[in-house]
């Protein structure tokens, strides 16, 4: 299989806070801190973790909406940092972004037809007639009534607006779609509709997805590989089946254990790992292993030595000094 | 917070220098020759040229500005030798139109402007916030409609129109009040009050209209906040709820805007003072414009600018004290 | 069977909006028993929050009509006057809201806000008593270093900690009924687990009844004793929690359970869905509000399209569906988890 997208030691830091005297801030949010992975054509990488762990920031860096502070992103083997503005624009077509709340990024005064056509207009890929035709084609594809192209966003439900967002992302025939919590704001019955749609599109067009979510069960359905993020780092990364069957990082285990199960009998019987406290600040992450402040297995070593992401079984990496077996 | 206060004040000081410099430069670059004002009718080109040198208007602008600044801190002597005048610090210039130190002119006119501003401010905050609150609490009823009408009408009426109308109706037809006239507060408080009532009302109507809307919308917005619902769910009394929850939150932005508006008013209510013939700073600066009285113009503009800069700093700091969320962040 | 703590009968709530009358709650009846947890589940817009707010009478404004009965301790809450209502709010029934980030007054310290909740109903309490109560409440909900933290402002706490403070406020007067409207929806799963456990522990300790509103069937399964399923302003099913998940007796519940994703379900194939979207509450479909999306609907001119089904006994549960009992039980047995 061919690698379509590759992240190599990607970092994204944001300056934050005001210094005491000068206007220049002194602190940095380590939003994404040294992340590497490879995405194969036609597969899905699911990225999970609690809020504030850097998932969206990673997604934006991958979709070229943000420049990485350090490290490189390679699209079809080409390092994006080496491209000039014109070539970048060209490759931008290949990677598209789907937002959590499509309402926030659809112009309320534009009909959804116009919104879907925007990328084609910006990239000048179709003439007016072509755009119109393509919009209707896309609407059909994502399960919207093509006759509704001149309706406005507020006339659609949340699920339908997400379909609009997906249609727009598909407009330029991308190879990769980065979807940031595309179903988190939707009701379960609608979530399933959107997930089915995404899977159908993947099969039909050989798309690759980076699928960001905080809900492990949603990712379970769509991902081939899973990355669990904690405070800007991948703490566990690898084959989805392997991770869901035998989570090896204590954080992954705790996340899975915390997710409520829609079955009262199982729910009553199982013993839950209860994490204490919240995610620490990404401005001053804990030394050594960043999870140690909430980890029930932490020792002195965890405070001193940062665990590296190492392959424990083929296709399954963990960054923990005491991985579960 | 303490760092923020110090930083903010330092910034204000720097800003003051910048603002004063530009004000000075801007007016000095005007095509009128300030030296021409020094000699009145017996001006000849030679006299003007001589006075130009004596007064320092021939110097490069940064030297002039330097002297001006020095005058503020140390006092300054103006005019040709023999007929020279000394203005003690803070000297903002010497007006050959009035034959007076500008500082004296300003200390004489400022109380008038201050009186106008304070009264108008009290009135407009009272009407604006009061009516706005009433409108919000009685949303959709006649009180609300009255307030909305008031604010639309108030905003669309030009100040001078309202002022003239007030004079016509109340003074000339009604004979209810004497023509507005300034009397010092310390001289006769009652006359001070009655003499300023119309100017206050004139200024207040306009601003109050804006504040009615601000207050009403602010309160309605806060009333939809979840914490207000939690207050209700706790069993908080309606009165307490409105004061402690709604007003407390709604007033923070309004207080800060009001601070800036008040400062702007202190710089001189030009139209109102002219229409009612009040010897305030606004009138002083208008006359300075028509007379091309540069020193006065520079000084009044500068005072107004200083007031705004100071008010901005005060409001920013105040904001930090009023809102714990801001306090923390800065 | 003991007497209900609170009985809701034929509750209707409608909002007059520019577009028309929104029938947010359209004839809902249910009881909450002392000490139990009643879960209310449904998609967004199904009227869960409006129902909760009606009980606390928080649907203020002139543009809303509320009718029906809400009986608590022999009184109809919809008829008591404002003064009496205030003595009930926060004392006999308390509420926890969805978004802990906006639920606390940003201008007062958390200690002050917990104290206020106590003082409203105990105006004669002395300062030191109140302080004691506040500290105690903060310890109970698991705020570390309460003596130090009571003087902090809400924004100095994380979302989870703020929700703990909202719970402390709700429970400081030991109310008989706690209404929690999506108390964990805005929180991360790990924090959600903490908060749900906290509510459970405190409920046991105080013996309060809890009305837990959520859209998450997982949360329902883990917390509720009984469940009411809402759809478009109607109660479509009322069942014990085990029954509901084992044999759902309404086509909507069946569809809802079917579309839940589960952690150990690795099937990559198409997920079950309920086709279509919830109806407009201004123009509700005739008959059963669910019929346009229902797979089992009886067709043209059938009861499904002409008559609104009422809750009635089906198996051990109560369901509002026109299908014969035997068919419903069969669908449920197949479609349930
Ligand atoms: N533009 C930004 N400026 C400063 N900090 C940011 C910015 N965007 C995100 N962050 C911070 O980076 C961290 C990671 O954020 P995000 O990527 O949104 O996490 P997630 O999507 O996992 O919730 C957070 O602490 C967030 O506050
Ligand atoms: N104040 C209001 N004015 C108009 N419509 C409202 C108002 N409050 C709620 N609604 C409508 O009532 C319906 C039910 O809302 P709600 O009870 O909040 O649903 P949920 O089940 O998600 O909690 C929604 O369609 C909502 O738009
Ligand atoms: S009454 Fe009819 S339409 Fe409604 S849920 Fe039952 S079968 Fe479906
Ligand atoms: Mg995010
Ligand atoms: Mg709700």
């Amino acid at each position: 299989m061919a690698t379509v997208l590759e992240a190599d030691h990607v970092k994204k830091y944001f300056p934050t806070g005001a210094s005491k005297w000068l206007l220049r801030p002194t602190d940095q949010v380590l939003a994404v801190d040294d992340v590497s992975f490879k995405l194969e054509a036609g597969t899905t990488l699911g990225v999970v973790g609690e809020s504030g762990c850097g998932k969206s920031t990673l997604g934006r860096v991958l979709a070229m909406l943000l420049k990485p502070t350090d490290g490189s992103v390679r699209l079809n083997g080409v390092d994006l940092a080496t491209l000039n503005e014109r070539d970048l624009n060209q490759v931008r077509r290949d990677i598209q972004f789907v937002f959590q709340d499509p309402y926030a990024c659809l112009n309320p005064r534009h009909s959804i037809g116009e919104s879907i056509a925007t990328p084609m207009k910006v990239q000048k890929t179709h003439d007016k007639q072509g755009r119109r035709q393509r919009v209707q084609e896309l609407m059909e594809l994502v399960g919207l009534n093509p006759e509704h192209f001149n309706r406005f966003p507020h006339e659609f439900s949340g699920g339908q607006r997400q379909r609009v967002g997906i249609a727009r992302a598909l407009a330029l025939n991308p190879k990769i779609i980065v979807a940031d919590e595309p179903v988190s704001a939707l009701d379960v019955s609608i979530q399933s509709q959107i997930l089915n749609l995404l899977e159908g599109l993947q099969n039909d067009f050989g798309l690759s997805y980076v699928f960001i979510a905080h809900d492990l069960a949603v990712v379970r359905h769509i991902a081939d590989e899973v990355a669990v993020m904690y405070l800007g780092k991948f703490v566990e990364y690898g084959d989805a089946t392997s991770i869901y069957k035998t989570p090896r990082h204590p954080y992954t285990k705790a996340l899975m254990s915390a997710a409520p199960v829609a079955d009262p009998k199982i729910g009553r019987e199982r013993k839950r790992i209860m994490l204490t406290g919240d995610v620490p600040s990404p401005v001053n992450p804990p030394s050594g292993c960043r999870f140690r402040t909430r980890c029930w297995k932490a020792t002195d070593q965890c405070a001193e030595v940062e665990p590296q992401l190492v392959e424990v079984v083929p296709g399954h990496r963990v960054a923990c000094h005491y991985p579960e077996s | 917070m303490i760092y923020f206060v110090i930083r903010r004040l330092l910034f204000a000081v720097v800003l003051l220098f910048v603002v004063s410099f530009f004000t000075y430069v801007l007016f000095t670059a005007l095509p009128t020759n300030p030296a021409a004002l020094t000699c009145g009718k017996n001006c000849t080109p030679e006299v003007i040229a001589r006075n130009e040198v004596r007064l320092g208007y021939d110097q490069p602008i940064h030297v002039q500005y330097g002297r001006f600044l020095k005058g503020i801190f140390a006092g300054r002597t103006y005019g040709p030798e023999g007929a020279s005048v000394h203005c003690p610090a803070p000297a903002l210039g010497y007006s050959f139109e009035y034959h007076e130190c500008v500082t004296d002119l300003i200390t004489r006119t400022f109380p008038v402007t201050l009186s106008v501003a304070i009264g108008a401010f009290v009135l407009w905050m009272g009407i604006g916030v009061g009516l706005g609150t009433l409108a919000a609490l009685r949303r959709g009823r006649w009180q609300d409609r009255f307030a909305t009408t008031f604010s639309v009408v108030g905003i669309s009426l030009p100040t001078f129109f309202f002022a003239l109308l007030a004079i016509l109706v109340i003074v000339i037809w009604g004979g209810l009040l004497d023509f507005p006239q300034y009397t010092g507060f310390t001289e006769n408080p009652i006359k001070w009050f009655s003499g300023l009532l119309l100017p206050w009302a004139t200024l207040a109507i306009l601003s109050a209209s804006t504040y009615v809307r601000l207050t009403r919308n602010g309160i309605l917005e806060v009333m939809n906040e979840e914490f207000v619902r939690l207050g209700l769910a706790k069993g908080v009394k309606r009165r307490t709820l409105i004061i402690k929850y709604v007003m407390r939150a709604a007033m923070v932005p309004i207080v800060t805007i009001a601070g800036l508006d008040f400062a702007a008013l202190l710089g001189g209510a030009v139209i109102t003072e002219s229409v009612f013939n009040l010897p305030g700073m606004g009138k002083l600066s208008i006359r300075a414009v028509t007379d091309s009285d540069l020193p006065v113009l520079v000084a009044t503009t500068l005072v107004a600018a200083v007031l705004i800069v100071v008010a901005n700093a005060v409001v920013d700091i105040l904001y930090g004290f009023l809102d714990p969320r801001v306090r923390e962040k800065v | 069977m003991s007497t209900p703590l609170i009985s809701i009968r034929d509750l209707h709530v409608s909002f007059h909006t520019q577009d028309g009358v929104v029938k947010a709650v359209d004839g809902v009846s249910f009881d909450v028993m002392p000490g139990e947890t009643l879960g209310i589940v449904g998609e967004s817009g199904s009227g869960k929050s409006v129902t909760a707010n009606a009980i606390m009478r928080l649907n203020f404004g002139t543009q809303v009509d509320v009718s029906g009965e809400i009986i608590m301790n022999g009184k109809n809450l919809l008829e008591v006057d404002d003064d009496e209502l205030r003595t009930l709010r926060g004392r006999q029934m308390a509420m926890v809201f969805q978004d802990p980030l906006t639920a606390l007054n940003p201008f007062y310290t958390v200690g002050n806000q917990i104290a206020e909740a106590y003082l409203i109903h105990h105006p004669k309490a002395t300062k030191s008593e109140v302080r004691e109560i506040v500290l105690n409440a903060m310890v109970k909900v698991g705020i570390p270093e309460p003596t130090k933290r009571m003087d902090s402002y809400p924004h100095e706490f994380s979302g989870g900690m703020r929700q703990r403070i909202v719970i402390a406020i709700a429970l400081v007067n030991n109310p008989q009924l706690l209404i929690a409207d999506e108390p964990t929806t805005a929180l991360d799963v790990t924090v959600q687990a903490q908060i749900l456990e906290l509510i459970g522990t405190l409920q046991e300790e105080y013996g309060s009844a809890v009305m837990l509103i959520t859209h998450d069937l997982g949360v329902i399964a883990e917390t509720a004793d009984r469940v009411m399923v809402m759809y478009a302003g109607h109660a479509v099913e009322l069942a014990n929690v085990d029954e509901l998940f084992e044999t759902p007796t309404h086509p909507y519940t069946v569809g809802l359970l079917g579309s839940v994703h589960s952690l150990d379900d690795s099937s990559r194939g198409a997920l079950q869905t309920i086709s279509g979207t919830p109806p407009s509450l201004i123009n509700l479909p005739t008959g059963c509000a669910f019929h346009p999306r229902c797979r089992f609907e009886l067709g043209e001119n059938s009861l499904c399209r002409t008559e609104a089904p009422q809750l009635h006994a089906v198996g051990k549960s109560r369901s509002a569906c026109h299908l014969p009992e035997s068919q419903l039980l069969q669908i449920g047995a197949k479609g349930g988890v």
Side-chain angles (χ1 to χ4, degrees):
Chain A
M1 253 193 273
T3 302
V4 282
L5 185 68
E6 187 177 354
D8 191 14
H9 298 288
V10 166
K11 293 180 184 169
K12 182 68 199 180
Y13 297 169
F14 295 107
T16 181
S19 70
K20 275 180 185 168
W21 296 108
L22 299 167
L23 300 168
R24 199 157 52 90
T26 48
D27 291 333
Q28 286 184 312
V29 182
L30 313 184
V32 175
D33 200 10
D34 200 357
V35 163
S36 308
F37 69 87
K38 282 184 185 150
L39 180 66
E40 308 293 334
T43 68
T44 301
L45 171 70
V47 181
V48 294
E50 286 170 282
S51 57
C53 283
K55 307 183 297 293
S56 298
T57 306
L58 176 64
R60 280 158 191 275
V61 170
L62 297 175
M64 292 186 268
L65 300 172
L66 283 175
K67 272 213 161 61
T69 309
D70 196 16
S72 61
V73 178
R74 277 195 285 275
L75 192 67
N76 294 321
V78 181
D79 186 346
L80 297 177
T82 63
L83 297 181
N84 62 27
E85 207 43 50
R86 234 188 68 231
D87 293 339
L88 260 182
N89 225 16
Q90 194 67 31
V91 298
R92 263 203 187 107
R93 292 180 193 179
D94 285 342
I95 183 159
Q96 292 291 326
F97 200 80
V98 172
F99 294 86
Q100 165 168 0
D101 178 9
Y103 201 50
C105 60
L106 292 178
N107 187 334
R109 277 181 298 277
H110 284 180
S111 73
I112 60 149
E114 287 174 81
S115 287
I116 295 173
T118 310
M120 294 182 263
K121 227 165 161 176
V122 171
Q123 295 268 358
K124 303 195 180 67
T125 50
H126 296 66
D127 62 6
K128 202 158 178 225
Q129 191 57 43
R131 283 204 298 269
R132 171 80 170 274
Q133 205 176 341
R134 176 86 178 126
V135 163
Q136 301 206 333
E137 206 177 288
L138 287 164
M139 287 180 71
E140 184 103 56
L141 202 59
V142 298
L144 292 168
N145 185 343
E147 281 160 24
H148 293 169
F149 69 92
N150 53 9
R151 295 200 176 176
F152 289 87
H154 69 90
E155 298 176 63
F156 291 84
S157 67
Q160 288 171 318
R161 288 200 284 256
Q162 196 52 280
R163 289 175 194 268
V164 174
I166 293 171
R168 182 167 64 173
L170 289 174
L172 299 171
N173 287 318
K175 300 198 171 60
I176 303 164
I177 287 184
V178 179
D180 188 5
E181 312 243 10
V183 299
S184 303
L186 307 174
D187 281 311
V188 271
S189 69
I190 313 293
Q191 284 190 356
S192 307
Q193 295 175 2
I194 299 291
L195 290 175
N196 285 345
L197 170 67
L198 286 172
E199 275 189 286
L201 293 169
Q202 178 162 53
N203 294 338
D204 293 349
F205 300 104
L207 293 169
S208 309
Y209 292 141
V210 176
F211 187 98
I212 297 168
H214 62 262
D215 185 342
L216 286 146
V218 166
V219 170
R220 176 85 182 106
H221 270 286
I222 195 158
D224 302 293
E225 287 200 303
V226 173
V228 181
M229 260 187 116
Y230 190 76
L231 279 179
K233 287 186 178 296
F234 280 5
V235 294
E236 184 156 7
Y237 165 48
D239 177 63
T241 316
S242 174
I243 289 183
Y244 276 91
K245 216 163 93 212
T246 30
R248 294 181 187 261
H249 197 284
Y251 179 60
T252 314
K253 232 182 147 179
L255 267 186
M256 290 193 181
S257 152
V261 179
D263 186 335
K265 296 224 172 82
I266 297 177
R268 249 172 256 140
E269 274 159 26
R270 79 193 171 131
K271 270 202 24 216
R272 164 169 281 170
I273 303 165
M274 196 67 81
L275 285 185
T276 52
D278 306 288
V279 184
S281 154
V283 177
N284 284 308
S287 65
C289 173
R290 293 186 177 181
F291 183 59
R292 71 173 164 84
T293 52
R294 298 169 86 195
C295 182
W296 62 97
K297 290 180 146 185
T299 64
D300 290 348
Q301 195 199 359
C302 301
E304 283 153 22
V305 184
E306 182 170 344
Q308 299 301 312
L309 196 60
V310 291
E311 197 156 24
V312 279
V313 289
H316 189 156
R317 296 158 196 272
V318 180
C320 175
H321 291 306
Y322 308 101
E324 312 269 323
S325 48
Chain B
M1 185 72 196
I2 184 72
Y3 288 110
F4 172 71
V5 171
I6 295 172
R7 211 168 59 215
R8 192 64 190 78
L9 291 177
L10 280 180
F11 176 67
V13 170
V14 173
L15 197 63
L16 277 181
F17 277 105
V18 175
V19 167
S20 68
F21 180 72
F22 279 104
T23 314
Y24 194 84
V25 170
L26 209 68
F27 283 115
T28 322
L30 287 178
T32 47
N33 188 343
L37 287 170
T38 53
C39 45
K41 285 196 186 85
N42 34 12
C43 269
T44 59
E46 295 86 69
V47 178
I48 291 178
R50 210 165 50 231
N51 283 351
E52 216 175 60
V53 177
R54 280 189 183 147
L55 292 174
Y57 285 122
D58 58 330
Q59 301 285 330
I61 209 142
H62 61 94
V63 176
Q64 287 187 39
Y65 175 69
R67 288 182 185 171
F68 175 77
L69 266 193
K70 194 171 159 221
I72 292 180
F73 294 106
R76 193 171 164 191
T77 307
Y78 302 89
E81 261 145 76
S84 74
V85 196
H86 178 76
C87 294
L92 292 169
Y94 183 81
S95 166
F96 289 93
E97 185 71 25
Y98 293 90
H99 295 287
E100 255 192 285
C101 292
V102 174
T103 311
D104 293 337
L105 281 172
I106 286 180
T107 41
R108 192 141 42 75
T109 52
F110 189 69
V112 179
T113 297
L114 185 67
S115 300
V116 171
I118 287 181
F121 183 72
V122 169
L123 205 59
W124 103 47
M125 287 305 273
I127 296 177
V129 173
L131 207 54
T133 309
L134 190 71
L137 298 184
R138 299 266 181 279
R139 186 181 186 183
R141 297 192 219 165
W142 68 266
Q143 291 97 330
D144 189 14
R145 282 194 292 276
F146 171 74
T148 315
T149 316
F150 172 86
S151 94
V152 169
V153 171
I155 286 172
S156 41
L157 276 184
T159 314
F160 68 87
F161 176 75
F162 183 80
L164 293 174
L165 195 72
I167 292 174
L168 186 70
V169 173
I170 296 177
V171 179
I172 301 181
W173 290 352
L176 300 175
L177 283 172
D178 289 337
F179 192 83
Q181 191 184 11
Y182 180 74
T183 315
F185 180 76
T186 43
E187 272 170 56
N188 185 341
I190 297 174
K191 271 189 140 173
W192 172 81
F193 184 83
S194 64
L196 286 172
L197 209 50
L198 280 185
W200 286 344
T202 304
L203 279 171
I205 296 277
L206 180 73
S207 305
S209 312
T210 318
Y211 280 74
V212 166
R213 242 195 358 212
L214 277 178
T215 311
R216 177 180 180 273
N217 295 351
I219 288 182
L220 287 180
E221 197 171 301
V222 176
M223 289 227 273
N224 277 329
E225 297 263 356
E226 196 122 296
F227 73 82
V228 175
R229 286 209 301 144
L230 183 68
L232 264 184
K234 271 167 145 183
V236 176
K237 284 204 183 70
R238 188 171 158 84
R239 243 180 68 123
T240 320
L241 190 80
I242 286 169
I243 295 169
K244 193 171 166 181
Y245 285 70
V246 178
M247 293 298 271
R248 177 73 169 78
M251 288 323 281
V252 171
I254 292 178
V255 164
T256 53
I257 303 171
L260 296 182
D261 279 354
F262 183 62
L265 202 55
L266 278 182
V270 175
I271 298 175
T272 309
E273 286 177 14
S274 305
V275 173
F276 290 106
N277 198 25
L278 297 170
M281 254 176 48
K283 192 140 178 276
L284 183 68
S285 53
I286 276 291
R287 273 197 59 184
V289 171
T290 47
D291 298 346
S292 306
D293 191 350
L294 196 64
V296 172
L297 199 53
V298 170
T300 48
T301 311
L302 205 58
V303 169
V306 166
L307 285 169
I308 302 257
V309 170
V310 170
N312 253 312
V314 169
V315 157
D316 273 4
I317 293 167
L318 197 65
Y319 204 94
F321 279 104
L322 286 179
D323 193 333
R325 287 167 295 186
V326 179
R327 198 182 310 161
E328 200 62 22
K329 252 185 236 139
V330 293
Chain C
M1 198 90 186
S2 53
T3 47
L5 172 64
I6 186 164
S7 293
I8 285 83
R9 288 291 167 269
D10 201 25
L11 180 69
H12 289 261
V13 183
S14 38
F15 298 95
H16 299 264
T17 68
Q18 285 169 347
D19 304 325
V21 179
V22 176
K23 287 190 185 165
V25 175
D26 196 17
V28 165
S29 304
F30 62 95
D31 295 334
V32 184
M33 296 295 164
E36 78 164 344
T37 300
L38 174 72
I40 300 186
V41 68
E43 290 175 279
S44 58
S46 56
K48 308 182 296 293
S49 298
V50 171
T51 304
N53 289 337
I55 295 174
M56 295 289 283
R57 269 185 47 192
L58 295 177
N59 295 310
F60 53 89
T62 47
Q63 313 301 327
V64 48
D65 282 338
V66 184
S67 68
E69 283 183 348
I70 299 174
I71 310 285
M72 190 179 194
N73 300 328
K75 283 197 189 97
N76 184 353
L77 298 186
L78 293 179
E79 282 166 1
V80 301
D81 63 26
D82 283 358
D83 283 332
E84 190 168 358
L85 184 64
R86 257 202 316 275
T87 63
L88 300 176
R89 279 178 182 160
R91 179 80 189 82
Q92 301 206 355
M93 47 190 191
M95 197 153 173
V96 174
F97 294 103
Q98 171 170 347
D99 186 1
L101 299 186
T102 57
L104 291 166
N105 190 334
F107 300 106
Y108 296 92
T109 62
V110 298
N112 184 323
Q113 296 187 52
I114 301 173
E116 184 189 37
Y118 185 73
L119 274 168
I120 291 168
H121 301 286
H122 303 83
K124 295 204 189 77
T126 65
K127 241 185 163 152
S128 60
E129 265 169 39
V130 175
R131 194 184 147 83
E132 200 57 36
I133 296 270
V134 170
L135 283 177
N136 205 352
M138 290 179 75
V139 171
K140 280 245 167 72
V141 296
I143 309 262
E145 300 183 87
T147 23
K148 214 174 95 193
R149 300 296 269 165
M150 66 190 292
D151 294 323
S152 303
Y153 288 91
H155 70 267
E156 298 170 67
F157 292 86
S158 68
M161 284 295 155
R162 282 189 234 185
Q163 199 60 303
R164 287 172 191 265
I165 289 158
V166 176
I167 292 171
I169 289 174
L171 293 181
V172 71
N173 292 310
N174 193 0
Q176 293 169 297
L177 175 66
L178 176 70
I179 302 176
D181 187 356
E182 312 248 10
T184 58
T185 303
L187 305 173
D188 278 313
V189 270
T190 58
V191 181
Q192 163 169 289
Q194 295 166 12
I195 297 292
L196 291 180
E197 189 183 65
L198 176 68
I199 292 178
T201 319
L202 294 176
Q203 178 182 20
E204 240 161 66
E205 191 177 330
Y206 290 108
S208 317
V210 175
M211 230 173 97
L212 189 106
I213 295 171
T214 174
H215 65 273
D216 186 337
L217 281 164
V219 171
I220 289 285
E222 298 203 347
T223 55
D225 301 314
R226 286 192 309 132
V227 186
M228 177 166 88
V229 182
M230 286 189 78
Y231 184 79
H234 297 84
V236 294
E237 179 161 4
L238 198 57
N240 285 328
V241 68
D242 288 344
E243 237 71 60
L244 185 91
F245 285 89
E246 218 164 274
T247 339
T249 60
H250 193 282
Y252 175 64
T253 316
V254 173
L256 209 53
L257 285 171
S259 50
V260 168
H261 336 288
S262 117
L263 270 185
D264 14 63
D265 175 11
S266 62
S267 66
R268 282 287 311 258
L271 290 158
Q272 262 195 61
T273 65
I274 306 173
S275 62
T277 49
S280 147
L281 298 177
I282 295 173
N283 270 317
L284 276 176
T286 55
C288 171
F290 184 58
H291 87 249
R293 298 176 76 189
C294 181
R295 277 190 288 155
F296 308 102
E297 188 240 330
L298 296 167
E300 210 78 31
N301 297 326
S302 70
L303 282 178
C304 290
R305 304 217 184 162
T306 55
E307 199 171 305
Q310 301 298 317
L311 275 184
H312 60 277
V314 173
K316 292 183 198 150
S317 311
R318 296 176 69 75
S319 161
C321 173
H322 289 306
L323 295 184
E325 180 166 6
S326 56
Q327 191 187 350
L328 283 175
L329 292 175
Q330 202 187 348
I331 295 168
K334 253 192 280 169
V337 174

